[in-house]
């Protein structure tokens, strides 16, 4: 029996994804465990594994590379030798829902198919000639305006109009991957603000010794200040485990291990890949690990696993000249540490005005889980480590 | 043939007025040659006795209507030489503010109600003014001056007959100068006299020497008196000759000889009167010479000031096409809501307006005692009598043109034409006169006329009782065109139409007449140019007109069940057309379908589509679609008839197709 290949759900809130491309050719023999195709979700790109053996059948009207596809739809089949090719509806593409169609049930019913499936309209225009296809496709003025407003190239959209004309909905569908990343971020930020009682503490501490120490690191990969703060935060969390716990079903649950997310600014938006078991890593190891994660985050090559399971997050806006800010907790974690820029300042030290390196730390914590004093004590510990970096 | 003795002052005044016309015409001929006149110039040289002889009996409030050769009539009715000359020079101080030139002279302030470039229109308008005077019980008299070219035109026949059956106070003054431009009257008429035609209409007809001012003066005295006393109209045929070309600069001797013209010159009315005055020792040579010098100086000075007068502002080129909205439409005290029919709704509005405004009268076939073919005037005859509910002969051009003249002179006619097809005979009056008068008079004459009747296909009425025609009327500036689709709108729009000063085509789809709907008891006005959003929606905009609104509404319900949300807009008036509401809707939906029973080519849908492409191009997510009645005369047999009108399923299908675009 033909086994359908469907679009899997990657992550709890995924409803659609971008079909990146097949990794096997039509007719290829597939063994279980081999990668079949690549699918991009809001936050990660995954190779999807085959669970069955057989011959891959890619229908002609299946999704093209770059199409937005709904979770759950059939995009191909694994056939047993000699098995006939099944006749089945294929490739509903997001944004092709009929106008005015409401609810997911009718959406599935009303999705139009990419080729062949819709009956020719009695009023259809003369067939598009080969030459015409060389040009960009027909598009509605509204679609072009919407594309311009969204900063998109309408020519890249897949037209779903009667004659293949690109309509506004096609442009909106094209915008979906970008806007859904944004949507996920928005939802998470709002969830955090609605579900926690955030309080931000700021303190300015001396980083002169840290700056000095970093200058001494010469060979190989020099750990970044962020690496240093991540490591220091892990050490401080070990002493103040309440900041490494989470609120869960009216209970405060301590987390297993210290896994710190690092906020990374990417073209697609904010991502926070997680460095696991920070305490087990030396500063150098940590540095190698974060370097790799940041690189792959920017290339959108992180696996979903690498984006999940954090217990605390560190975010730095120092590179942009920001001193203090009020970071939003990466829910359901307890706290997030914001690092400002390191700056040379006149400071009173032993009744003398001297030039020192200063850094401001901004700690947002969930006041439901802990109180101001414990959070402040955590900051004190952290400050101590920064001011005496050799302990790290 | 002067039957009553005329005093010296009156004689000198006749002489002076003829001379003024002559000197003005000579000045204009000269100015034409010098290039001061920018268009045509039709002079009245040789015919002065007629205008002067007739107008000597007129009061300021009496109304004169004339033709393309109207300089003399204007001057004789009291337009100043300077206003006349400035008009031909195209100046802001001209009697028509530079809008008319030689053929379109308006000075309502002195009762010069207009000259027209269209032959025959003045006959009907004068009859209409006569109707106003009769209805308002004033002693006013209306005069139509026209040439022999007008008497073979339907307007002559219809106008004289209507004036006669209603005993209207009108003088029909035919200036028979032997040629209609170049066509000889002896060739163009089977009956060689005009005067004798009066017998056909049951009115007195006089055959007069048009170059004898005293003869004209005497005959006009009788006719004017008869008219003022309710004795009805008179036809005066004044035989005369123009001794200049039809128009300045035009060759004159292709249709007549130099000798013919020379032979008439000794019969010049001015020369004749001068000789008679001297002969009868009623004036001395010195007196007349002094008067001649005085007139020459007056004309010279009129020319000088006209030449110096300022030009009209280009920015004013399109003002006064419509009257200013007189009052803001009130929606006060609408009262109890009932379910009544479309027809009952309009009858309520008309009944109410006729009670409050004695200047309203209705003209039409069978609208008197019978109460109208569609019961449009049921019960009103008993309230207001035959003058305000006036049955007409089948004389469409006649009573429409007459209505125009009545509207120009202070009353508010309602022309109940039954079927829109019937008044195609009167389209010239509607388009050339009624629509243009407010503009041509620079807003000094109002045109409050309501033209109402049925449009639309249905009940096997076939092609002469089923036309829509509103796109045609909407094409012309100066007309309001109303196509209500519900009883509520029909009542409110009719109230508004009967209070606005513009000509209104009020077109009622026959298939809607028995449609019932909620209508408040009280009076309320629905303003023109405000579309109704009949049903709000988000996926596609459908604009439907008249009966199609009802069908489109049903199609919307079908589509709602299919998950398509349609916004249905009824423009209610096609002139003015509320593009804003349509554009706002398209901004939301990106899709537009126009459903119209009227023909597609050059129609309302084409206009809406052009406007939306112009102003809402970027809003469009699909091409604009039209669904129209088939472009064919209307057939009779039910299957054929059904095939030419969009039905509910066709509308639904058109919406589906547009959604799939």
């Amino acid at each position: 029996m033909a086994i359908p290949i469907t679009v899997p759900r990657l992550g709890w809130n995924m409803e659609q994804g971008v079909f990146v491309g097949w990794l096997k050719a039509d007719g290829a023999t597939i063994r279980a465990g081999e990668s079949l195709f690549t699918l991009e979700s809001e936050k990660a790109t995954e190779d999807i594994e085959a669970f069955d053996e057989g011959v891959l059948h890619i229908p002609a009207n299946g999704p093209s590379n770059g199409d937005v596809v709904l979770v759950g739809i059939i995009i191909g089949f694994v056939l047993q030798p000699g098995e006939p090719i099944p006749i089945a509806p294929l490739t509903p593409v997001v944004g092709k829902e009929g106008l005015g169609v409401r609810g997911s049930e009718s959406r599935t019913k009303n999705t139009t198919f990419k080729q062949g499936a819709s009956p020719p309209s009695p009023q259809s225009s003369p067939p598009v000639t080969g030459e015409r296809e060389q040009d960009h496709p027909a598009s509605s003025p509204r679609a072009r305006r919407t594309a311009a407003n969204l900063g998109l190239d309408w020519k890249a959209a897949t037209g779903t109009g009667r004659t293949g004309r690109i309509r506004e909905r096609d442009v909106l569908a094209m915008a979906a991957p970008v806007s859904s990343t944004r949507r996920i971020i928005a939802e998470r930020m709002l969830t955090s603000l609605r579900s926690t009682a955030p309080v931000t503490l700021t303190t300015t501490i001396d980083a002169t010794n840290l700056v000095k120490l970093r200058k001494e690191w010469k060979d190989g990969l020099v750990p970044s200040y962020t690496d240093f703060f991540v490591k220091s935060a892990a050490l401080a969390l070990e002493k103040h485990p309440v900041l490494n716990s989470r609120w869960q079903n009216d209970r405060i649950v301590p987390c297993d291990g210290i896994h710190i997310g690092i906020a990374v600014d990417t073209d697609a938006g904010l991502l926070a890949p997680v460095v696991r078991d920070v305490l087990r890593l030396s500063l150098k190891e940590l540095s190698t690990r974060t370097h790799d994660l940041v690189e792959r985050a920017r290339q959108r090559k992180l696996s979903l696993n690498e984006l999940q399971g954090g217990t605390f997050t560190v975010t730095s806006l120092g590179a942009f000249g920001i001193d203090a800010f009020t970071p939003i907790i990466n829910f359901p974690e307890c706290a997030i540490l914001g690092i400002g820029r390191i700056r040379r300042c006149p400071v009173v030290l032993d009744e003398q005005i001297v030039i020192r390196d200063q850094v401001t730390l901004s700690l947002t914590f969930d006041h439901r889980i802990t109180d101001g004093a414990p959070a402040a004590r955590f900051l004190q510990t952290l400050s101590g480590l920064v001011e005496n970096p050799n302990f790290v | 043939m002067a039957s009553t003795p005329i005093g010296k002052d009156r004689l000198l005044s006749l002489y002076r007025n003829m001379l003024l016309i002559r000197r003005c015409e000579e000045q204009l001929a000269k100015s034409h040659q010098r290039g001061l006149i920018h268009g045509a110039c039709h002079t009245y040289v040789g015919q002065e006795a007629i205008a002067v002889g007739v107008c000597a009996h007129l009061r300021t409030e009496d109304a004169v209507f004339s033709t393309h050769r109207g300089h003399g009539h204007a001057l004789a009715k009291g337009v100043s030489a300077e206003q006349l000359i400035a008009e031909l020079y195209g100046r802001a101080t001209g009697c028509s503010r530079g809008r008319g030139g030689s053929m379109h002279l308006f000075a309502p302030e002195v009762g010069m109600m207009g000259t027209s470039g269209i032959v025959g229109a003045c006959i009907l308008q004068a009859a209409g003014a006569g109707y106003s005077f009769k209805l308002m019980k004033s002693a006013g008299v209306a005069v139509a001056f026209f040439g022999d070219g007008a008497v073979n035109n339907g307007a002559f026949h219809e106008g004289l007959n209507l004036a006669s059956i209603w005993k209207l106070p009108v003088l029909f003054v035919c200036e028979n100068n032997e040629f209609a431009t170049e066509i000889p009257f002896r060739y163009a008429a089977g009956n060689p006299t005009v005067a004798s035609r009066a017998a056909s209409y049951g009115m007195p007809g006089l055959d007069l020497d048009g170059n004898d001012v005293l003869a004209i003066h005497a005959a006009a005295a009788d006719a004017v008196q008869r008219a003022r006393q309710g004795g009805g109209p008179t036809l005066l045929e004044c035989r005369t000759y123009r001794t200049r070309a039809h128009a300045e600069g035009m060759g004159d001797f292709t249709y007549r000889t130099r000798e013919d013209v020379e032979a008439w010159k000794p019969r010049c009315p001015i020369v004749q009167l001068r000789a008679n005055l001297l002969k009868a020792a009623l004036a001395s040579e010195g007196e007349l010479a002094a008067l001649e010098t005085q007139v020459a100086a007056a004309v010279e000075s009129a020319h000088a000031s006209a030449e110096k007068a300022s030009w009209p502002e280009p920015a004013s080129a399109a003002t006064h096409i419509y009257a200013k909205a007189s009052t803001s439409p009130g929606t006060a005290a609408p009262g109890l809501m009932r379910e009544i029919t479309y027809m009952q709704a309009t009858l309520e509005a008309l009944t109410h307006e006729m009670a409050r405004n004695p200047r309203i009268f209705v003209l039409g076939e069978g609208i008197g005692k019978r109460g109208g073919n569609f019961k449009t005037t049921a019960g009103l005859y008993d309230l207001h009598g035959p003058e305000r509910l006036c049955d007409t002969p089948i004389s469409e051009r006649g009573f429409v043109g007459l209505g125009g003249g009545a509207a120009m002179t202070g009353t508010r006619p309602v022309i109940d034409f039954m079927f829109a097809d019937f008044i195609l005979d009167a389209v010239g009056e509607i388009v050339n006169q009624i629509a243009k008068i407010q503009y041509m008079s620079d807003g000094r004459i109002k045109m409050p006329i309501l033209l109402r009747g049925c449009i639309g296909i249905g009940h096997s009425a076939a092609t002469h009782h089923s036309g829509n025609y509103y796109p045609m009327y909407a094409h012309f500036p100066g007309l309001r065109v109303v196509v209500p689709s519900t009883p509520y709108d029909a009542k409110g729009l009719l109230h508004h139409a009967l209070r606005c000063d513009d000509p209104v085509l009020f077109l009622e789809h026959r298939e809607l007449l028995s449609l019932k709907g909620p209508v408040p008891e009280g009076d309320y006005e629905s303003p023109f140019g405000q579309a109704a959003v009949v049903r709000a929606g988000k996926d596609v905009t459908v604009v439907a007109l008249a009966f199609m609104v009802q069908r489109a509404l049903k199609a919307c319900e079908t589509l709602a069940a299919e998950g398509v949300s349609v916004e249905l807009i009824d423009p209610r008036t096609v002139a003015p057309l509320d593009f804003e509401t349509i554009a706002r809707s398209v901004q939301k939906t990106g899709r537009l379908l126009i459903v119209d029973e009227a023909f597609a080519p050059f129609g309302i849908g084409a206009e809406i589509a052009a406007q939306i492409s112009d102003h809402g191009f970027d809003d469009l997510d699909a091409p604009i679609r039209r669904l129209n009645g088939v472009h064919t005369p209307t057939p009779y047999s039910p299957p054929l008839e059904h095939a030419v009108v969009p039905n509910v399923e066709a509308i639904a299908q058109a919406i589906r197709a547009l959604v799939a675009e």
Side-chain angles (χ1 to χ4, degrees):
Chain A
M1 208 182 104
I3 299 153
I5 302 166
T6 57
V7 174
R9 191 182 301 279
L10 311 175
W12 63 277
N13 55 357
M14 175 178 169
E15 284 180 8
Q16 63 190 45
V18 175
F19 181 81
V20 176
W22 291 102
L23 298 170
K24 295 281 179 187
D26 186 23
T29 304
I30 305 298
R31 267 180 282 278
E34 285 185 322
S35 290
L36 271 180
F37 62 97
T38 307
L39 183 68
E40 191 178 304
S41 72
E42 292 91 345
K43 288 217 161 185
T45 304
E46 301 268 9
D47 290 345
I48 307 303
E49 173 192 2
F51 291 103
D52 303 284
E53 293 194 359
V55 176
L56 175 63
H57 169 62
I58 302 175
N61 57 344
S64 306
N65 298 355
D67 274 357
V68 177
V69 287
L70 289 176
V71 168
I73 62 141
I74 299 166
I75 57 169
F77 294 91
V78 175
L79 307 177
Q80 300 318 306
E83 202 178 22
I85 291 166
I87 301 154
L90 290 163
T91 324
V93 172
V94 166
K96 289 186 179 179
E97 307 101 289
L99 270 175
V101 172
R102 289 172 200 84
S104 55
E105 224 186 284
S106 52
R107 175 189 307 181
T108 319
K109 267 190 221 154
N110 281 281
T111 34
T112 49
F113 299 101
K114 225 178 145 190
Q115 295 158 9
S118 73
S121 159
Q123 299 169 314
S124 44
S125 308
V128 175
T129 66
E131 270 173 60
R132 186 75 178 76
E133 277 174 50
Q134 300 297 314
D135 292 334
H136 47 69
S139 55
S140 79
R142 193 183 183 97
R144 294 198 294 273
R145 181 181 62 187
T146 302
N149 289 345
L150 293 172
L152 295 169
D153 178 10
W154 59 268
K155 294 188 200 77
T158 306
T160 60
R162 184 177 56 82
T163 57
R165 184 188 302 110
I166 294 166
R167 306 187 283 181
E168 186 185 35
R169 67 182 73 177
D170 304 327
V171 170
L172 291 174
M174 183 171 62
V178 172
S179 64
S180 70
T181 302
R182 200 63 243 163
R183 200 185 66 224
I184 298 287
I185 293 171
E187 272 169 17
R188 292 206 172 148
M189 294 301 169
L190 272 180
T191 304
S192 172
L193 282 182
R194 283 200 202 102
S195 315
T196 65
V199 176
T200 302
L201 307 179
T202 62
T203 180
T204 299
I205 59 171
D206 198 293
T208 311
N209 293 340
L210 175 60
V211 171
K212 216 180 279 171
L213 179 68
R214 190 162 178 273
K215 278 180 187 154
E216 285 165 15
W217 293 329
K218 290 255 160 57
D219 51 321
L221 189 65
V222 175
S224 66
Y225 288 117
T226 304
D227 295 335
F228 182 84
F229 282 107
V230 168
K231 180 74 181 167
S232 307
L235 292 168
L237 286 169
E238 195 181 18
K239 286 191 179 160
H240 304 273
V242 70
L243 282 131
N244 198 48
S245 54
R246 64 179 65 195
W247 184 283
Q248 206 174 304
N249 302 328
D250 287 340
R251 282 165 60 213
I252 293 165
V253 182
C255 293
D256 214 9
I258 295 170
H259 315 299
I260 297 185
I262 301 163
V264 181
D265 173 46
T266 75
D267 290 343
L270 176 70
L271 291 178
V274 177
V275 181
R276 280 171 210 286
D277 294 315
V278 177
L279 286 177
R280 282 201 217 148
L281 302 173
S282 72
L283 194 54
K284 291 263 171 171
E285 285 165 344
L286 173 73
S287 183
T288 310
R289 182 90 187 105
T290 57
H291 188 80
D292 169 55
L293 285 172
V294 168
E295 271 309 299
R296 286 194 294 116
R298 292 199 168 130
Q299 293 164 18
R300 301 203 68 199
K301 281 184 178 166
L302 294 173
S303 72
L304 203 59
N305 197 35
E306 289 167 316
L307 289 164
Q308 291 173 339
T311 60
F312 184 87
T313 299
V314 172
T315 175
S316 170
L317 291 175
F320 304 102
I322 303 299
D323 293 329
F325 54 108
T326 57
I328 294 175
I329 295 162
N330 192 0
F331 186 78
E333 295 166 11
C334 172
I336 181 166
L337 177 68
I339 301 157
R341 78 179 147 152
I342 296 171
R343 60 207 187 274
R344 308 268 294 155
C345 291
V347 170
V348 178
L349 196 69
D350 300 332
E351 300 303 314
Q352 296 275 315
I353 295 175
V354 293
I355 297 171
R356 302 288 290 180
D357 290 300
Q358 302 280 293
V359 66
T360 302
L361 303 180
S362 307
L363 178 78
T364 301
F365 68 96
D366 186 351
H367 210 328
R368 295 177 311 159
I369 296 175
T370 187
D371 300 324
R377 282 196 284 274
F378 165 80
L379 264 187
Q380 274 180 333
T381 304
L382 181 63
S383 303
L385 290 167
V386 174
E387 284 167 359
N388 304 289
N390 288 323
F391 291 107
V392 180
Chain B
M1 92 157 251
S3 53
T4 15
I6 309 178
K8 182 185 172 181
D9 288 353
R10 173 58 71 97
L11 287 169
L12 285 180
S13 150
L14 293 175
Y15 182 69
R16 189 194 171 282
N17 289 345
M18 289 199 292
L19 202 60
L20 178 71
I21 296 172
R22 177 66 58 88
R23 294 286 169 267
C24 274
E25 296 292 41
E26 287 167 354
Q27 177 61 54
L28 290 170
K30 212 185 327 176
S31 298
H32 183 270
Q33 212 167 53
R34 283 179 46 203
L36 284 168
I37 294 169
H38 314 281
C41 177
H42 302 116
T43 69
Y44 194 62
V45 172
Q47 306 182 195
E48 294 89 344
I50 304 162
V52 170
V54 171
C55 290
H57 303 288
L58 301 183
R59 305 165 183 161
T60 302
E61 59 273 22
D62 293 329
V64 164
F65 299 84
S66 154
T67 68
H68 58 283
R69 196 175 306 287
H71 303 172
H73 310 125
L75 290 168
K77 190 64 174 62
V79 175
S80 74
E82 190 191 330
Q83 277 197 307
L84 173 73
I85 295 172
E87 183 57 34
L88 275 95
Y89 292 0
R91 306 307 166 110
T93 53
C95 62
S96 306
R97 315 296 186 244
R99 292 177 170 215
S102 178
M103 289 186 277
H104 315 92
L105 306 171
F106 292 88
E109 302 80 8
V110 296
M112 184 63 211
M113 300 310 292
T115 70
S116 172
I118 301 299
V119 166
C122 63
I123 296 175
L124 302 173
Q125 287 164 358
Y131 204 101
S132 282
F133 295 144
K134 190 178 174 207
L135 186 69
M136 299 319 296
K137 305 199 172 3
S138 82
V141 171
V143 179
F145 290 101
F146 50 92
D148 50 282
V151 306
N152 298 316
N153 184 296
F156 175 85
H157 169 64
E158 297 188 28
L160 265 67
N161 188 57
L162 292 175
S164 177
I165 63 169
W166 295 329
K167 288 213 169 331
L168 303 179
V170 187
L171 269 64
F172 297 105
V173 182
C174 174
E175 301 175 337
N176 185 347
N177 67 12
E178 297 189 11
F179 297 96
T181 308
E182 299 187 1
I183 304 301
F185 183 65
R186 64 177 182 276
Y187 161 84
N191 176 348
T193 76
V194 174
S196 68
R197 297 189 187 193
S200 311
Y201 309 110
M203 72 171 75
L206 300 172
D207 191 342
L208 303 167
D209 176 357
N211 284 26
D212 179 352
V213 71
L214 300 180
I216 302 295
H217 185 269
D222 293 344
V224 166
Q225 194 184 21
R226 237 169 55 75
R228 290 205 203 282
Q229 289 170 352
T234 307
L235 170 63
L236 307 176
E237 180 185 10
C238 310
R239 294 179 182 272
T240 185
Y241 202 78
R242 62 173 158 77
T243 48
R244 292 193 67 81
H246 166 71
E248 286 309 301
M250 227 166 117
D252 205 23
F253 301 117
T254 52
Y255 61 98
R256 63 184 186 180
T257 64
R258 204 175 289 276
E259 291 71 37
D260 293 338
V261 177
E262 289 306 316
W264 270 90
K265 282 194 176 162
R267 294 174 64 184
C268 165
I270 300 167
V271 169
Q272 284 193 67
L273 181 61
R274 192 180 203 278
N276 287 340
L277 287 172
L278 290 172
K279 201 167 123 194
L282 284 163
S284 69
E285 179 65 45
E287 252 179 305
L288 294 178
L291 203 145
E292 284 153 13
T293 313
Q294 194 195 4
V295 168
V299 171
E300 176 55 37
S301 134
H303 154 73
S305 354
E307 206 180 356
K308 273 185 244 136
S310 56
W311 295 98
E313 274 300 316
S316 73
T319 57
H320 298 299
I321 298 166
Y322 297 97
K324 271 195 190 121
S326 47
T327 47
S328 59
T331 48
L336 186 73
M337 274 285 189
R338 302 104 352 115
E339 290 269 320
I340 59 171
T341 66
Y342 188 100
M343 218 163 47
Q344 288 165 332
T346 58
L347 180 58
E348 272 188 7
L350 182 62
T351 304
H352 182 100
E353 292 297 327
M354 285 194 79
R356 76 189 270 276
N357 184 353
R359 291 172 179 268
I360 296 176
F361 68 100
V362 187
L363 292 177
E365 293 146 16
I367 56 85
K369 258 202 174 105
R370 187 185 166 205
N373 193 44
F374 298 114
K375 300 280 164 239
T376 47
T377 54
L380 293 174
Y381 183 88
D382 293 340
L383 292 172
H384 303 297
E387 266 177 26
R388 295 188 66 196
L389 279 302
C390 183
D391 276 323
T392 64
I394 299 171
S395 193
E396 272 74 15
R397 182 179 176 190
F399 62 74
V400 170
L402 181 149
M408 290 165 79
T409 48
T411 53
R412 183 181 283 275
V414 174
I415 309 294
D416 190 331
F417 51 69
M418 215 180 316
F419 287 95
D421 310 81
F422 297 173
I423 50 156
L424 291 185
D425 275 358
V427 166
E429 300 304 324
I430 297 172
V431 164
N432 247 335
Q433 307 297 332
I434 289 169
K436 293 177 179 174
I437 296 285
Q438 296 201 79
Y439 176 83
M440 294 307 291
S441 68
D442 199 41
R444 290 174 295 158
I445 299 174
K446 301 288 172 227
M447 189 52 84
I449 180 171
L450 176 72
L451 298 136
R452 72 174 296 192
C454 282
I455 54 167
I457 302 173
H459 288 88
S460 288
T463 200
H464 290 148
H465 296 71
S466 62
N468 280 294
Y469 307 111
Y470 45 85
M472 175 183 83
Y473 293 113
H475 178 69
F476 298 104
L479 299 174
R480 306 289 193 191
V481 185
V482 182
V483 284
S485 75
T486 66
Y488 181 93
D489 287 346
K491 181 173 173 178
L493 289 164
L494 193 65
H495 270 297
H496 188 65
L498 288 169
R499 292 176 195 179
C500 97
D501 282 336
D502 295 322
V504 179
L505 270 297
F506 193 90
L507 304 173
E508 301 147 276
H509 198 292
R510 209 166 63 109
E511 299 299 300
L512 290 170
L513 296 184
S514 51
L515 176 79
K516 278 195 165 183
V519 177
E521 253 176 356
D523 63 305
Y524 56 93
E525 284 183 64
S526 304
F528 297 161
Q530 282 187 19
V533 178
V534 179
R535 190 189 164 108
K538 62 175 184 51
D539 295 334
V540 57
T541 301
V542 173
V543 173
L545 294 143
F547 182 47
M548 289 299 112
V549 176
Q550 299 303 327
R551 287 204 168 159
L553 202 50
K554 291 198 181 98
C556 290
E557 282 154 21
T558 307
L559 281 148
E562 295 171 20
V564 177
S565 158
V566 182
E567 180 142 305
L568 178 61
I569 293 177
D570 172 9
R572 301 195 276 199
T573 64
V574 292
L577 188 54
D578 178 3
F579 292 109
E580 237 178 84
T581 297
I582 299 168
R584 214 170 331 150
S585 176
V586 173
Q587 207 169 43
K588 179 165 62 167
T589 64
R591 284 173 157 67
L592 174 61
L593 170 72
I594 303 117
V595 183
D596 187 4
E597 186 183 284
F599 304 132
F602 318 103
I604 306 297
E607 177 59 21
I608 293 172
Q611 293 276 354
I612 296 302
S613 304
D614 253 7
H615 305 294
F617 185 68
D618 289 333
D619 294 324
L620 290 170
D621 204 19
I624 299 169
R625 281 281 156 79
R626 287 178 293 169
L627 180 64
N628 287 77
V630 178
H631 194 215
T632 175
T634 312
Y636 161 76
S637 173
L640 296 178
E641 188 193 66
H642 293 158
V644 303
V645 185
N647 59 31
V648 175
E649 184 43 38
I651 298 169
Q653 201 45 47
I655 298 170
R656 286 185 202 109
L658 180 55
V659 165
E661 265 301 330

